Amino acid sequence: VLFELEDLKEVSEQTKDQIKYICNHKVTGRVTIHRVLNPEAWETRDTYLKIEGTIHDDSGKSASESDENPKGGDVYGAVVEAAT
């Protein structure tokens, strides 16, 4: 699934300076994963998993009504674009 972050709170002061976050999010879509680009991140957890995939438009809107949806299968680019 594709998540949209709605709220992020850093709570280190409440956890004896351990870096921790509390967040609220909502599911905004479905993604088919075709390939994991950095499988080593699964073990090391140094960064997020990066994938190639396809975002599925379940909104029922036509492409002209939904220009915000990424074209093709550039899921990583869509996530980066949404975060900036």
Side-chain angles (χ1 to χ4, degrees):
V1 294
L2 190 58
F3 292 97
E4 181 178 324
L5 187 63
E6 293 182 321
D7 186 38
L8 179 67
K9 295 178 186 172
E10 193 269 326
V11 293
S12 297
E13 293 176 6
Q14 301 169 17
T15 60
K16 299 181 183 176
D17 291 329
Q18 290 183 345
I19 299 173
K20 293 199 178 187
Y21 299 92
I22 296 175
C23 70
N24 290 320
H25 62 274
K26 65 180 177 181
V27 175
T28 59
R30 295 181 306 123
V31 176
T32 299
I33 298 173
H34 302 294
R35 181 169 70 115
V36 177
L37 299 175
N38 60 341
E40 68 280 356
W42 187 265
E43 295 289 328
T44 65
R45 297 180 180 231
D46 289 337
T47 187
Y48 294 100
L49 286 174
K50 297 174 184 171
I51 62 105
E52 286 181 356
T54 303
I55 297 175
H56 301 280
D57 181 7
D58 296 331
S59 69
K61 297 179 181 178
S62 69
S64 62
E65 294 176 277
S66 182
D67 290 338
E68 295 176 20
N69 289 334
K71 306 294 187 269
D74 187 11
V75 174
Y76 179 70
V79 171
V80 170
E81 184 178 320
T84 55

